Amino acid sequence: MPPRSLGAFLKAARSALTGPASQRPKPLTIVVGNESADLDSLCSAILLAYFRSHTPPHSASLHVPLCNLERQDLALRPELQAALSGSRSKSSTSTQGVPLDNLITLTELPDDLTAADTRWLLVDHNALTGSLAKRFQKSVVGCIDHHVDEGVVPQSDEGANAADKAPRIIETCGSCASLVVEYAKDAWRHLAEEQPDEATDRILAQLALAPILIDTTNLKSVNKTVDVDRRSAAVAESVLGVTEGKKAADTPFHSAYKSDSGYNRTAFFDELSHLKTDLSTFSYADILRKDYKEWRETASSGVGLTTGFSSVAQGMGYLLKNIGDRDALFDGLRTHSRERGVDLAAVMTVQHDEGGFARQLLLWAFTEEAVTAAKGFINANRESLDLKPWGDGQLDSTSEKGEWRSCWTHGTKFSRKQVAPLVRDAMKSA
Ligand SMILES: [Mn+2]
């Protein structure tokens, strides 16, 4: 059995991945979340890898939780560090958390690792993307996810014996972590009884609760929260000593841990939300890549065009006031776009304070075709998105040759999920 302590488990998983090829377990099972590497993806991967590694007969093979980001980008996720932190109780002795540095990232993935050497379990997505897709798609054996089924994960894990089969679970719910806890809760309870480790189980509980609370707005979003989110939150909270009015015997971890964990749902949710939206310590370079996606289209003129799309958890006014002025924003965005060969840069912001809730969209086209596409996007969607010029046109372009830049507010609830396809359509018809 791999180490029970989460810190030691991560260390063992890292050695298994990065050790000499001749000593690597074959095949090596890797658990990975989606490319946005948000809290849900990161936490779900750690939880599933940990529980599968500790559940017979999977314990025969150590599962490696892989964070789908480069090592330097871990620092952009202070909310993950909070989820990995130790007890919040001043009276408890088990205050030791796990440092972010202990996690395993794409930076550690060996270049000589092949599809034949590995088995992949996906969480929070059900089709690999980016560079991992090219290298490893054919070795995907299972998934636990809450997105639309893209039909590429095989129906049954044929390589494995019945007891060791990879899961193939796709269900709509607020957070993928809820499905992982549902899948693993019996194994978790068993482990807690056989081999109690309060410090580790409480970090695991926080890793489950962090995405569940963030993705369901503290279990209060009526549109997003479903039964499995509530059930899994209750399982994780019982590990933290919360019994919520139920008799102790009804809760899954009644006998294991009785000391005060210092956990309070609303306080934990507030702490995570604050960390997610506090961008004040970051630079524009950090903020623009923190939640970034990129698409490449072939325009009707035949040229390839790249859209780079950054989502930002604060409004444009906040950025200009707290991160840097207009010139700093332009420098940051131009550098970010050049490094990635972006033709059209889009930045979507969400304003919480100053003048109430609002969303802004900044577009900056760097090439002739992209200018055509950006203007086409505005014309096609001006009414449906209720687009209005932002900030008296202070960010709109004046003199750059062959470029075009403009910033808008839009009156819809649309996030990047809805707006990016509209921008991509405009790029295709440019
Ligand atoms: Mn998710």
Side-chain angles (χ1 to χ4, degrees), residues 292-352:
Y292 175 74
K293 285 189 177 170
E294 198 176 276
W295 291 275
R296 182 127 180 112
E297 328 290 344
T298 305
S300 60
S301 62
V303 294
L305 290 176
T306 299
T307 310
F309 221 120
S310 304
S311 288
V312 179
Q314 289 285 356
M316 204 54 86
Y318 173 102
L319 297 182
L320 295 172
K321 195 168 135 199
N322 295 284
I323 311 302
D325 61 12
R326 183 175 171 268
D327 290 342
L329 168 65
F330 293 162
D331 280 351
L333 186 51
R334 187 186 284 282
T335 305
H336 171 94
S337 302
R338 265 200 193 137
E339 282 170 2
R340 292 165 178 80
V342 164
D343 299 286
L344 175 63
V347 181
M348 277 188 88
T349 57
V350 188
Q351 170 179 307
H352 309 274

Side-chain angles (χ1 to χ4, degrees), residues 34 36 38-41 44 123-125 145-147 173-177 211 215:
N34 74 46
S36 76
D38 65 1
L39 207 49
D40 194 24
S41 274
S44 295
V123 288
D124 206 20
H125 64 325
D145 184 28
H146 64 151
H147 292 87
C173 60
S175 169
C176 179
D215 290 346

